[in-house]
Amino acid sequence: MRRFSSSVLLVAICLLPVGIGSGTSAHSHAKAALDGALANTAAAQAQVLEDYFSRARSIDLLTANNPAFQDFYQLPGSRAAKVRRGGPVLDKANRALGYLEELFPDSIGEACFIDRAGPENARMVRGVRATLPELSPDESGASFFAPTFALRSGQVYQARPYISPDTNEWVISNSTLMPTSDGTRRAIVHFEVTIESFRKVAASLGSQFDISVVDAGTGRVVIDSRRPQRVGEPLGVPGDQRFGRVVAAGVARGSISVDGRPVAFQRLQRQAHNANDWYVLATARAPIGPLYGVSGWSVALVVVALALLVLSGVSFLVQHQRLVA
């Protein structure tokens, strides 16, 4: 009996560290793989957004260099008279604005050609040309107007999100000066990209994780891959301040845990005249417990070892009672 108890105890002592060791190793490897996948996703999404902004800047500059915009100011007559009269030059300007929709399918709300005094010369909304009564008489109060006219030629201003007065959607504008031979600031070419188009990109890349875009100044979630940005709703998730400590730390990249869920974050590189300073965060969709990544056989080994320890203890107790009796 004593030999049996000793054998059971020896087996239990051998199995327990094997089960715990293999489980611990599996958990560490699985956690490291998850952290790596989260970091790669955050970095990839940050790169996509940076490329999106860069592409929008390049396209705005190319559009502004279309000769139709400059030709409009070479025509005889006042600006207002030329807009009322229309004609081939203004038709070409509108086509140039409409072409942006082909470059950013389902992303552009409106595109405009705006005079220094404030009124619109031309506007396209989702590929539809604005009629003369629909043109805004004064855009000088728009958030992008003054900063754009403060730029030098060849620069693009990208505004913080705002609600477009024409589409009622949350958008980010891209606006640049129309180039002129004498360097005068006569007009700007401007187009809006919807926040929802940014969210769709985040959702498509982060299908395995939840993707959030957070404003670096306030910690507010401006884009949540799980929540479509619908017309009439506040931007992003106003009450979500889970990532405030990321913003407070000001670190460019890293990882944290929020409500037991691992999170990787990366800050977008600052770009000149882009008013948006964002973090991208990739979050695991479920909390990670101590058994994450641990295989069933590792758990079985530990259970068997514990059962054998109990059996061995009971056996030694029975033997002791017999000896005492």
Side-chain angles (χ1 to χ4, degrees):
M1 186 69 174
R2 179 171 296 181
R3 181 175 298 175
F4 171 77
S5 300
S6 299
S7 299
V8 170
L9 179 60
L10 180 61
V11 171
I13 291 173
C14 292
L15 289 179
L16 190 59
V18 172
I20 293 175
S22 63
T24 301
S25 176
H27 174 77
S28 298
H29 281 88
K31 181 65 166 56
L34 176 61
D35 289 341
L38 286 166
N40 289 338
T41 299
Q45 182 62 62
Q47 185 63 58
V48 166
L49 291 177
E50 289 170 3
D51 291 345
Y52 208 99
F53 280 122
S54 295
R55 180 170 177 246
R57 286 199 303 273
S58 298
I59 289 174
D60 199 19
L61 290 170
L62 286 172
T63 302
N65 275 276
N66 190 303
F69 300 115
Q70 300 177 49
D71 291 347
F72 172 81
Y73 284 97
Q74 302 304 316
L75 293 173
S78 68
R79 186 211 64 82
K82 288 185 284 189
V83 172
R84 286 195 302 269
R85 185 170 65 244
V89 171
L90 203 54
D91 290 343
K92 290 180 182 179
N94 274 285
R95 284 198 295 272
L97 296 175
Y99 183 61
L100 290 168
E101 180 67 29
E102 298 181 34
L103 299 176
F104 286 91
D106 302 319
S107 299
I108 294 203
E110 70 157 25
C112 305
F113 174 32
I114 305 173
D115 186 79
R116 179 67 182 89
E120 292 178 333
N121 297 325
R123 184 177 81 234
M124 296 287 285
V125 179
R126 297 194 179 96
V128 178
R129 180 173 176 171
T131 63
L132 183 61
E134 291 173 334
L135 293 175
S136 171
D138 188 8
E139 288 289 300
S140 61
S143 61
F144 60 83
F145 188 87
T148 305
F149 276 105
L151 298 177
R152 296 192 302 272
S153 180
Q155 297 177 330
V156 177
Y157 180 70
Q158 295 172 305
R160 293 171 63 85
Y162 63 90
I163 297 176
S164 171
D166 295 300
T167 65
N168 295 317
E169 293 183 280
W170 282 97
V171 297
I172 288 174
S173 73
N174 304 267
S175 45
T176 190
L177 292 166
M178 179 194 75
T180 57
S181 57
D182 59 2
T184 57
R185 295 172 170 84
R186 305 193 70 174
I188 61 174
V189 175
H190 149 86
F191 70 90
E192 298 171 346
V193 178
T194 65
I195 286 291
E196 177 60 10
S197 69
F198 282 86
R199 188 202 66 83
K200 287 180 178 178
V201 171
S204 65
L205 282 182
S207 57
Q208 185 181 358
F209 307 116
D210 294 334
I211 304 297
S212 304
V213 176
V214 176
D215 183 86
T218 64
R220 176 178 177 173
V221 175
V222 296
I223 298 174
D224 186 329
S225 63
R226 303 166 301 172
R227 299 182 56 165
Q229 185 60 63
R230 295 187 173 90
V231 173
E233 293 186 355
L235 178 65
V237 191
D240 190 349
Q241 292 290 332
R242 291 175 298 160
F243 309 115
R245 54 196 173 108
V246 171
V247 171
V251 180
R253 64 181 59 85
S255 61
I256 58 171
S257 178
V258 175
D259 300 328
R261 298 193 295 167
V263 179
F265 60 87
Q266 180 151 330
R267 193 173 190 168
L268 271 64
Q269 292 186 3
R270 296 308 309 273
Q271 299 172 338
H273 312 297
N274 185 347
N276 301 282
D277 185 6
W278 288 349
Y279 277 94
V280 172
L281 301 100
T283 306
R285 289 181 173 163
I288 302 304
L291 294 182
Y292 177 75
V294 178
S295 63
W297 74 268
S298 296
V299 176
L301 276 181
V302 174
V303 171
V304 169
L306 292 175
L308 291 176
L309 284 174
V310 172
L311 179 60
S312 175
V314 170
S315 177
F316 277 116
L317 181 60
V318 170
Q319 293 178 47
H320 177 70
Q321 288 176 342
R322 286 179 179 175
L323 291 174
V324 172

